[in-house]
Amino acid sequence: MTAITAILTCFNRKEKTVECLKSLVNGNPTINFTFIVVDDRSNDGTVDAIKNLGFNTIIVNGNGNLFWSGGMRKGIDYYLKNYKTDYVMFVNDDVSFFDDAIHKILKQSIESDKVIVGATCNEKNEFTYGALKLIKPRKNDLYYHVKPEDEDILCDTFNANCVLLKDEVLRKVGNFDPIYRHALADLDYGFMISRNGYKIASSRNYIGICYTNSSRGGWRDTSLSRIERLKQKESIKGAPFREWYHFMNKNFGSLLAIRYSITPYLRILIGK
């Protein structure tokens, strides 16, 4: 049996976390899963519910202020210091996996020798999260989504809702950049993998259901006042200037970093 260590973080969404773990184990019976779950002080019974599943699970306790990137970084650090399995998988606990999904991407990884990004969809089989490819020549957007049905599924980075990579890749590339507290760490890590010479590809099938996050109440919500949008943008779950500028400068250079760091404030100012 192939051994995969799945790393994920959770906070107060017990039903989704349990469903995610159950769908992985029950839908892929020939894979030996170990779960490293970083729980950031959930108070809804998440930890007990995970333990009651009886899976091979390590609970790593957070301090209540890790958010997604911090939680994943702590989980990866625990793995690098204590474990070594054939493959590692980054997982978001709001994914409900289809049967055989991991069997399929594991087979794809073995045959292609690539990091495989599991594409997710909604109940209408419409793409939600997955692989991303840089736009060249660049116009307005930086990258576009690579979907399972695309002819060319090679990509440059990813949303880490489901990413399967070999242990050797993780150890060569290392952990997430510590500057990121919530968002951007997965996009940045995909670029780190690419820069280290490894190839990344989208899965050829959708691996599970995962719904897109609503922009309502966030800094892109034009129904909010300018002041509120600015507060949301600079919040941890928004696009705080320091983290966003660092991401852009690191991966695209200073000129684009300046341009794309100013643009959100202009959008807020003109109400767009």
Side-chain angles (χ1 to χ4, degrees):
M1 294 178 70
T2 301
I4 296 177
T5 299
I7 303 172
L8 61 149
T9 185
C10 65
F11 177 72
N12 278 355
R13 47 186 189 185
K14 177 175 65 178
E15 290 78 14
K16 287 186 176 182
T17 306
V18 167
E19 169 59 25
C20 174
L21 300 184
K22 288 172 65 176
S23 64
L24 281 169
V25 172
N26 296 338
N28 303 276
T30 65
I31 293 176
N32 180 19
F33 283 105
T34 296
F35 296 105
I36 296 176
V37 182
V38 180
D39 178 76
D40 205 21
R41 293 192 176 181
S42 295
N43 57 19
D44 66 343
T46 296
V47 172
D48 288 339
I50 292 172
K51 290 178 178 178
N52 289 337
L53 291 173
F55 299 154
N56 185 16
T57 305
I58 297 93
I59 302 293
V60 179
N61 295 314
N63 60 11
N65 196 39
L66 290 178
F67 295 90
W68 185 81
S69 298
M72 290 298 293
R73 190 163 52 249
K74 192 174 184 70
I76 292 168
D77 182 65
Y78 187 92
Y79 172 85
L80 291 173
K81 291 177 178 177
N82 299 282
Y83 277 83
K84 183 178 176 64
T85 49
D86 304 318
Y87 282 85
V88 180
M89 192 164 70
F90 301 153
V91 174
N92 196 319
D93 70 345
D94 62 355
V95 180
S96 179
F97 288 87
F98 298 141
D99 288 350
D100 292 323
I102 310 307
H103 289 148
K104 290 176 181 177
I105 63 172
L106 176 61
K107 182 175 184 290
Q108 185 180 345
S109 178
I110 292 171
E111 291 176 349
S112 67
D113 194 29
K114 293 179 175 63
V115 173
I116 303 300
V117 182
T120 63
C121 61
N122 59 24
E123 77 285 353
K124 298 179 181 179
N125 212 44
E126 298 168 333
F127 179 95
T128 54
Y129 294 106
L132 298 161
K133 192 172 184 67
L134 289 172
I135 295 174
K136 297 177 182 178
R138 188 173 294 110
K139 293 183 179 179
N140 294 319
D141 293 326
L142 296 170
Y143 27 65
Y144 63 89
H145 293 296
V146 178
K147 301 177 182 179
E149 60 268 24
D150 292 346
E151 182 177 349
D152 181 7
I153 56 171
L154 291 178
C155 59
D156 299 296
T157 188
F158 47 71
N159 305 125
N161 298 68
C162 173
V163 179
L164 183 72
L165 61 160
K166 290 182 178 179
D167 173 90
E168 65 186 62
V169 177
L170 184 67
R171 293 186 185 277
K172 173 70 179 298
V173 178
N175 208 332
F176 285 3
D177 189 324
I179 194 172
Y180 306 113
R181 292 172 292 173
H182 184 66
L184 296 176
D186 50 353
L187 295 176
D188 184 73
Y189 198 77
F191 288 128
M192 290 167 64
I193 289 174
S194 296
R195 283 195 294 271
N196 273 275
Y198 297 105
K199 300 296 184 182
I200 310 172
S202 169
S203 60
R204 276 297 185 190
N205 304 94
Y206 287 111
I207 55 88
I209 299 288
C210 183
Y211 297 102
T212 53
N213 294 321
S214 172
S215 61
R216 186 175 178 82
W219 75 268
R220 292 183 177 87
D221 186 349
T222 56
S223 68
L224 300 179
S225 69
R226 290 181 176 86
I227 295 297
E228 185 58 35
R229 289 181 68 185
L230 183 61
K231 288 180 181 178
Q232 290 301 321
K233 183 197 174 298
E234 297 306 316
S235 69
I236 291 177
K237 290 189 175 183
F241 178 85
R242 178 170 174 265
E243 295 173 37
W244 178 246
Y245 183 86
H246 175 83
F247 169 77
M248 289 298 304
N249 188 50
K250 179 179 178 181
N251 297 293
F252 298 96
S254 58
L255 290 179
L256 280 180
I258 294 170
R259 172 187 168 186
Y260 279 87
S261 294
I262 292 174
T263 300
Y265 299 105
L266 295 177
R267 289 182 58 183
I268 292 172
L269 181 63
I270 64 176
K272 185 176 180 180

